[in-house]
Amino acid sequence: MLLKLPLIIVAVFGLFMLVQFFVEAPFLDHTYQEILDWVQIIYLFTLWVGAINLIKLHLKKSTHKKEAPYSVVTLSGIVIMLFFGLIQGKEVGSVFDWIFKNVQVSLQASMFSLLAFFVASAAYRGFRARSTEALVLLSVAAIVMLGRVPIGDLISGLIPDFANWILNFPSMAARRGILIGIGLGTVATALRVLLGIERTYLGR
Amino acid sequence: MKRQYIYLLILAALTIPLFLPLGLKHQVTDEVEKFYQTIEDLPPGSTVMVSFDFEASTIAETKPLAQAVLRHLFSRRISVVSLSMLAEGTGLGHSFLKEVADEFGRKYGADYVFLGFRPQYQATILGLGEDFAKVFPQDYLRNNLSDLSLTQKVRNYEGISLIISVADGDLPQYWVDYAQTRFQKPVAAAVTAVMATSYYPYLSSGQFSGLVGGLKGAAEYETLLGKAGLGSKGMEAQSLGHLMIIALIIIGNLAHLRTRKKI
């Protein structure tokens, strides 16, 4: 029963959402509204589970000598942000907002910016024309890179045109193929979940 | 070449144009022109929904994009109902919105509203189509939606003329899947450069009413608005950065060829 109950819930609610999309009826609309509310309520509880799990994990780690400083920073961050958020709110100009913009945003933007340096270094070391295919790839990448910046247009007006052609035809054709594949895969997985064949979400 | 020298070269290429502008001209692409024209075609007094679907890490690209789009909307006296589908986009989205609204003297509650963040975007997007107040009984500033004149007038997607997702991930796709398919609302996207290529099929199929991609898109949009901003400035740095990477690839290949010949 413990296994069957979640499978029944998934099948019933999944089929209901599928049917109500195509059928217009007031009683279906009402139930649909209720389900949307429930989805958000359940999701909020999963956030709590995540937060509690994170706190428990770092409380445990804070006793280990080597990992303790990182865990202390994480736990302090949670407590400080929670404290200022609850006491003062999160509007522009609040302490919460100040810490968010000057600590979290700066740190995350810096981490992401480092990519430019790593990409440059990796391109220098790894982007080699070892075969005809690699040479084609290399040339196309260089044209798109130049075509996507105004300097490309300064060198030749043909570069942005060619870059746009690459994006609008060969690249789009490949992308469409991938999207169709994803779409078919999603439908197949959804059917497997509704029919109870796919059970990985139950941890099986 | 030692890694440290590569880093120094990239640093120079990215920072010099920020202090010594090159004055590069930006050619406006069709997709950006289409986005711009979609907003131009909206009658003044319309309401547009802007969703800040990005995280803090991509602020260098998403801020110029959001600012350019919001400047266009407010300059045309279009009201904005805004929200975020990602927790980190909430604080950033609110401050961008406030900054641009103040620039144009727009009033909170009457000209623009920021709803805030709700988790689980499928349910949020679908729920907003029925009633904003059911998903967000209060806005980000804890006002009841029933107390704000804009949300008294616009209660669900029926009052929304266009949905714009400023994103660094796959959220625009969800707006198409749920808001457009179910409620027939036009969707446009302003996304980071790395995501832009993924969305070209949506543009050509007509599912997107416009697409602004990365700093380049923001710079083009600023050209259309006639006011240079962060996009144009950042694009000059990116131009030299791209040139430097191409130069490094060529140098690397020449060195590789020389070693192969020696062998």
Side-chain angles (χ1 to χ4, degrees):
Chain A
M1 194 58 198
L2 266 178
L3 174 68
K4 277 185 185 163
L5 189 64
L7 292 176
I8 293 166
I9 292 172
V10 166
V12 169
F13 284 92
L15 282 171
F16 173 81
M17 290 304 267
L18 193 68
V19 169
Q20 65 78 36
F21 187 85
F22 298 102
V23 181
E24 273 191 37
F27 77 95
L28 286 179
D29 271 357
H30 179 75
T31 317
Y32 163 70
Q33 280 289 332
E34 285 296 319
I35 291 175
L36 288 185
D37 288 348
W38 273 94
V39 169
Q40 290 217 314
I41 293 164
I42 293 166
Y43 196 84
L44 281 172
F45 275 98
T46 65
L47 288 182
W48 272 106
V49 172
I52 291 165
N53 195 26
L54 184 80
I55 292 168
K56 267 174 74 177
L57 182 83
H58 282 282
L59 278 174
K60 202 173 153 191
K61 274 189 170 183
S62 61
T63 55
H64 299 189
K65 245 187 181 177
K66 219 175 162 188
E67 291 168 347
Y70 305 111
S71 296
V72 170
V73 170
T74 307
L75 290 170
S76 314
I78 294 171
V79 173
I80 292 168
M81 292 303 270
L82 205 61
F83 176 78
F84 285 111
L86 290 173
I87 297 292
Q88 211 193 10
K90 49 200 186 316
E91 290 86 52
V92 174
S94 63
V95 179
F96 181 95
D97 184 60
W98 188 90
I99 300 174
F100 174 68
K101 281 182 191 152
N102 293 287
V103 180
Q104 187 167 0
V105 173
S106 311
L107 285 173
Q108 279 192 228
S110 306
M111 282 297 290
F112 204 65
S113 307
L114 290 177
L115 267 181
F117 297 92
F118 295 137
V119 165
S121 176
Y124 172 71
R125 274 161 227 290
F127 224 163
R128 297 274 187 269
R130 288 195 177 93
S131 62
T132 318
E133 289 88 347
L135 182 68
V136 171
L137 188 69
L138 196 72
S139 316
V140 168
I143 291 167
V144 173
M145 276 177 77
L146 275 178
R148 300 297 290 169
V149 291
I151 253 174
D153 193 33
L154 271 182
I155 298 167
S156 165
L158 290 173
I159 294 176
D161 290 345
F162 190 53
N164 283 338
W165 182 83
I166 291 167
L167 288 172
N168 283 318
F169 294 95
S171 167
M172 177 128 58
R175 190 75 213 166
R176 279 202 172 128
I178 295 168
L179 280 175
I180 292 168
I182 293 172
L184 292 172
T186 310
V187 172
T189 312
L191 282 174
R192 283 172 60 86
V193 171
L194 286 180
L195 298 172
I197 303 164
E198 177 68 53
R199 298 176 182 189
T200 43
Y201 65 93
L202 292 172
R204 280 160 197 270
Chain B
M1 195 189 293
K2 278 189 173 176
R3 195 170 291 166
Q4 291 88 328
Y5 295 135
I6 296 174
Y7 292 166
L8 273 177
L9 285 171
I10 289 291
L11 184 70
L14 294 178
T15 48
I16 289 171
L18 295 177
F19 299 104
L20 301 166
L22 307 170
L24 296 171
K25 296 268 178 289
H26 303 281
Q27 202 187 37
V28 180
T29 48
D30 292 344
E31 57 267 26
V32 177
E33 175 81 44
K34 201 177 168 194
F35 191 114
Y36 180 86
Q37 205 49 52
T38 304
I39 294 180
E40 280 292 298
D41 292 342
L42 297 175
S46 314
T47 305
V48 164
M49 176 169 271
V50 179
S51 186
F52 299 107
D53 304 327
F54 53 80
E55 292 184 321
S57 52
T58 53
I59 189 172
E61 277 186 288
T62 46
K63 187 176 181 179
L65 286 168
Q67 282 183 333
V69 171
L70 289 171
R71 280 197 179 110
H72 192 196
L73 293 171
F74 285 128
S75 70
R76 296 215 59 245
R77 293 209 156 268
I78 290 169
S79 305
V80 175
V81 174
S82 186
L83 74 156
S84 178
M85 291 290 161
L86 298 171
E88 281 180 25
T90 320
L92 293 170
H94 180 229
S95 63
F96 298 163
L97 189 63
K98 192 177 178 323
E99 198 182 309
V100 181
D102 288 350
E103 208 177 286
F104 287 87
R106 297 289 176 260
K107 276 178 76 180
Y108 190 84
D111 300 314
Y112 74 102
V113 167
F114 188 66
L115 300 174
F117 161 74
R118 281 289 176 277
Q120 229 293 329
Y121 27 81
Q122 290 98 330
T124 304
I125 296 172
L126 287 171
L128 288 171
E130 308 298 326
D131 188 358
F132 290 170
K134 270 207 91 179
V135 187
F136 292 91
Q138 290 189 321
D139 69 354
Y140 187 63
L141 305 175
R142 295 176 198 166
N143 301 302
N144 291 327
L145 290 201
S146 52
D147 296 338
L148 303 169
S149 60
L150 181 59
T151 38
Q152 277 171 359
K153 195 174 69 179
V154 181
R155 290 165 185 268
N156 54 30
Y157 291 143
E158 267 177 41
I160 298 289
S161 308
L162 173 71
I163 296 167
I164 298 171
S165 174
V166 184
D168 63 3
D170 56 359
L171 256 306
Q173 190 187 317
Y174 286 94
W175 283 105
V176 170
D177 289 350
Y178 297 102
Q180 189 173 78
T181 312
R182 193 176 178 103
F183 301 97
Q184 291 80 47
K185 282 290 128 186
V187 175
V191 298
T192 50
V194 75
M195 289 309 297
T197 46
S198 311
Y199 291 120
Y200 275 90
Y202 287 86
L203 187 73
S204 78
S205 65
Q207 285 166 301
F208 275 175
S209 306
L211 177 68
V212 186
L215 269 183
K216 179 179 156 62
E220 289 173 23
Y221 213 93
E222 287 166 4
T223 306
L224 288 169
L225 293 175
K227 192 184 176 195
L230 286 172
S232 310
K233 220 175 175 181
M235 205 52 213
E236 299 203 332
Q238 197 175 314
S239 290
L240 280 199
H242 280 203
L243 263 188
M244 188 56 75
I245 291 176
I246 291 169
L248 285 168
I249 293 171
I250 294 170
I251 295 167
N253 276 282
L254 289 176
H256 173 67
L257 272 177
R258 239 179 68 180
T259 3
R260 254 191 16 185
K261 271 181 188 168
K262 273 184 189 170
I263 295 165

